Amino acid sequence: MATHMLQCRTWGRVQRYGIAVYRKYSSGSRYPNISLSAPLPGIPKPVFASVDGHEQCETKITTLENGLKVASQNKFGQFCTVGILVNSGSRHETKYPSGIAHFVEKLAFSSTAQYGSKDEILLTLEKHGGICDCQTSRDTTMYAVSAEVKGLDTVVSLLSDAVLQPRLLDEEIEMTRMAVRFELEDLNMRPDPEPLLTEMIHAAAYRGNTVGLPRFCPVDNVEKIDKKLLHTYLRSYYCPERMVLAGVGIEHEQLVACARKYLLDVKPVWGASTPTNVDLSVAQYTGGIVRMDKDMSDVSLGPTPIPELTHIMIGLESCSFLEEDFIPFAVLNMMMGGGGSFSAGGPGKGMFTRLYLNVLNRHHWMYNATSYHHSYEDSGLLCIHASADPRQVREMVEIITREFIQMAGTAGEMELARAKTQLKSMLMMNLESRPVIFEDVGRQVLATGKRKLPHELCDLISNITASDIKRVTTKMLRSKPAVAALGDLTEMPSYEHIQAALSSKDGRLPRMYRLFR
């Protein structure tokens, strides 16, 4: 019976497509081997939806009388994401004890003039299906709320209160001290060293200035930060000219009306702003090394022990995100790619990036090799993080320095096209998410006063050539290296040797000769 049905199906396909087509696209078995690159015969040509001028969703920006910018991007749906971004972060703490931005992040959405506690804020948001969050980076503090569109008035009122009218009660500050201490302990104990290494590489690259200042509050400063100090800092940096109210999924006119109602003539709890005290220091790249000898043999999340690893991060100065070279550096970072030795493969996972092909696939003893690109308004840092057994640290460092030198070679046509396609794909995929669109709109408007749309960025990416990659790499290799090292550093080469390797033609470390091993 089954054989008869299979024969009927086969004959049906032959009648439908013809014997020649059936033979071309099928092995004659039950499952036809259909080509993925050639169009199917007999199928009408697809007609894709086109975008007219009204649906391009360009970002609308309005500047209020007090200097506050209101930016919005419409997006279909019954939920919206609205928030306030402030040009304030750990890089602005030159005149203050480091850690204020960390405290501000933890104290966000606590009691305010209008709400008695954090619970009241959460209950208010719950009525509109909302959630809230605050995140600080080295240069930006972001307060965000996602809720139903019909609750926009309540959301903007709550944001205004949380940003400009926090009570900063003594018990809240004490609870924040406990939370900060716990986070610092967790940072040093967690198996993933990436956040700690990122701190260390910034400290090495920008020693004692701007983005090199600690993002996490140092242990010694936890007791120093109090309400008076917080008010002094907020008075300087939380002024309307340094803020953007951004929204995604709402009408621009509605957002502007709410901004005028709740953010135009509001007096902050700390009094009149004094923007004259703002630190305008420009990031000074210094290069250097930060070492942390640490026993990594007992780092484990469960019964299966994690092998003892030494982690190295080497970085060089790239460029600011305001410069034209930012796009070539982004393509270069994507071309280097990388990941962990246990990363799953598959289309679009970057298994053909240089750090996979040249490093992880050739050196089985390396557990990780990943490229990162950190960019700010006045500088940037392109770095590679690598992990291996402590006995093979010297060899690992040489492999990474050789990869840096090889960046200056001419990029292959196929690998460059793949990197550009992957970068555009990642950009467009991330911008499917409403919170990501919100952050993109807010950060771009805060930094430049306008927003480049995704199709503009894709055009810029498409125009990058191999000569652009070579040019920016040659410029980058002239800078002093920044090095962060964590773990057992017995076999770690000296900073001078790493610098010499990055100045050589082949990226090799100077040879060392020992009489005794």
Side-chain angles (χ1 to χ4, degrees):
M1 182 68 181
T3 308
H4 175 69
M5 287 184 69
L6 184 60
Q7 287 172 345
C8 288
R9 281 184 194 158
T10 304
W11 179 243
R13 291 193 192 106
V14 171
Q15 284 183 314
R16 187 173 175 186
Y17 299 118
I19 190 71
V21 171
Y22 177 71
R23 281 179 181 159
K24 184 178 178 182
Y25 289 107
S26 172
S27 60
S29 66
R30 187 172 177 181
Y31 299 103
N33 183 21
I34 297 173
S35 168
L36 297 178
S37 57
L40 289 171
I43 303 295
K45 191 177 179 181
V47 179
F48 297 104
S50 59
V51 180
D52 61 29
H54 297 291
E55 295 174 333
Q56 281 185 354
C57 287
E58 63 181 51
T59 305
K60 295 179 180 177
I61 302 167
T62 300
T63 304
L64 301 187
E65 290 81 353
N66 61 356
L68 177 88
K69 291 184 179 68
V70 182
S72 75
Q73 177 95 34
N74 211 343
K75 182 177 170 68
F76 178 77
Q78 63 180 19
F79 277 80
C80 64
T81 299
V82 182
I84 294 175
L85 291 92
V86 190
N87 189 0
S88 156
S90 58
R91 69 169 294 161
H92 299 108
E93 295 171 357
T94 311
K95 301 174 185 175
Y96 302 88
S98 289
I100 292 178
H102 195 184
F103 264 70
V104 167
E105 178 186 77
K106 299 295 174 195
L107 284 162
F109 295 105
S110 296
S111 63
T112 66
Q114 191 178 339
Y115 300 93
S117 67
K118 191 164 194 166
D119 289 341
E120 278 189 41
I121 290 176
L122 295 176
L123 283 169
T124 304
L125 286 174
E126 243 176 55
K127 293 173 186 173
H128 301 286
I131 53 170
C132 61
D133 186 30
C134 177
Q135 294 178 7
T136 58
S137 61
R138 297 180 189 280
D139 53 3
T140 311
T141 302
M142 182 173 66
Y143 299 79
V145 173
S146 285
E148 285 182 314
V149 176
K150 61 186 179 184
L152 179 65
D153 193 270
T154 306
V155 165
V156 178
S157 168
L158 190 151
L159 280 166
S160 170
D161 224 38
V163 175
L164 300 174
Q165 304 284 332
R167 287 186 184 174
L168 304 179
L169 302 174
D170 290 341
E171 55 264 33
E172 289 173 345
I173 292 175
E174 195 53 48
M175 285 293 290
T176 301
R177 289 192 180 117
M178 289 172 62
V180 167
R181 284 196 193 98
F182 175 80
E183 194 168 335
L184 294 174
E185 284 179 26
D186 178 63
L187 191 68
N188 288 302
M189 290 169 62
R190 63 197 300 176
D192 175 25
E194 201 267 323
L196 188 57
L197 278 168
T198 303
E199 276 289 286
M200 292 166 67
I201 196 78
H202 278 83
Y206 304 93
R207 193 170 291 276
N209 74 90
T210 57
V211 292
L213 298 174
R215 195 173 81 80
F216 299 100
C217 180
V219 178
D220 297 340
N221 289 354
V222 173
E223 291 297 329
K224 294 178 185 176
I225 296 172
D226 55 16
K227 184 176 180 176
K228 184 180 177 183
L229 184 65
L230 287 166
H231 274 188
T232 307
Y233 176 84
L234 295 169
R235 193 177 297 120
S236 296
Y237 289 96
Y238 276 48
C239 47
E241 311 92 80
R242 300 178 64 84
M243 292 183 186
V244 169
L245 174 68
V248 176
I250 33 94
E251 295 291 338
H252 186 70
E253 292 71 24
Q254 279 182 279
L255 191 61
V256 170
C258 289
R260 289 187 183 282
K261 185 176 177 183
Y262 296 111
L263 290 162
L264 190 55
D265 297 313
V266 180
K267 187 179 179 184
V269 70
W270 45 80
S273 298
T274 53
T276 49
N277 294 334
V278 168
D279 177 42
L280 299 174
S281 304
V282 176
Q284 302 295 318
Y285 182 87
T286 59
I289 185 168
V290 172
R291 297 164 56 107
M292 186 184 289
D293 284 279
K294 188 179 176 186
D295 180 14
M296 306 286 281
S297 59
D298 58 348
V299 177
S300 181
L301 282 174
T304 307
I306 294 173
E308 182 182 358
L309 299 174
T310 295
H311 304 275
I312 307 293
M313 197 178 265
I314 300 175
L316 295 167
E317 186 180 21
S318 59
C319 72
S320 139
F321 57 68
L322 299 175
E323 295 177 45
E324 288 183 1
D325 285 346
F326 174 67
I327 301 293
F329 270 115
V331 174
L332 174 63
N333 179 54
M334 191 58 69
M335 195 161 69
M336 297 308 296
S341 57
F342 298 109
S343 298
K349 296 283 171 55
M351 302 302 278
F352 286 92
T353 55
R354 285 191 183 181
L355 291 179
Y356 263 112
L357 293 176
N358 301 345
V359 179
L360 292 169
N361 289 357
R362 293 185 184 181
H363 307 283
H364 64 89
W365 45 268
M366 283 190 68
Y367 281 78
N368 187 23
T370 312
S371 175
Y372 295 95
H373 187 215
H374 306 279
S375 198
Y376 304 96
E377 64 182 0
D378 45 13
S379 187
L381 188 66
L382 186 120
C383 44
I384 295 176
H385 167 210
S387 309
D389 186 279
R391 292 165 294 184
Q392 292 173 300
V393 169
R394 186 177 178 83
E395 194 176 348
M396 171 175 69
V397 170
E398 186 170 271
I399 288 166
I400 298 308
T401 54
R402 281 161 61 186
E403 283 304 311
F404 270 112
I405 295 299
Q406 285 168 19
M407 285 183 199
T410 304
E413 189 178 330
M414 186 176 287
E415 71 169 343
L416 180 60
R418 186 185 287 119
K420 292 196 289 186
T421 303
Q422 198 171 350
L423 181 59
K424 287 187 279 188
S425 170
M426 190 182 73
L427 173 71
M428 300 309 289
M429 194 162 60
N430 286 340
L431 289 173
E432 290 286 316
S433 165
R434 191 180 62 249
V436 174
I437 300 172
F438 157 76
E439 189 172 345
D440 182 52
V441 169
R443 284 182 180 276
Q444 285 202 50
V445 172
L446 190 66
T448 66
K450 57 185 179 180
R451 184 192 179 215
K452 279 183 181 170
L453 294 175
H455 67 84
E456 295 177 77
L457 292 171
C458 286
D459 290 342
L460 290 171
I461 294 166
S462 297
N463 293 334
I464 300 301
T465 62
S467 61
D468 292 324
I469 301 294
K470 189 170 184 175
R471 176 176 52 78
V472 297
T473 304
T474 306
K475 179 184 171 186
M476 177 180 72
L477 286 167
R478 294 193 197 113
S479 63
K480 286 177 66 177
V483 182
L486 175 68
D488 180 353
L489 306 177
T490 311
E491 296 294 319
M492 175 76 182
S494 67
Y495 178 76
E496 290 72 22
H497 280 191
I498 295 171
Q499 195 170 0
L502 288 167
S503 303
S504 67
K505 289 183 178 178
D506 58 2
R508 293 186 180 275
L509 292 165
R511 297 298 96 190
M512 287 180 65
Y513 300 98
R514 297 179 184 176
L515 289 173
F516 306 102
R517 284 193 175 274

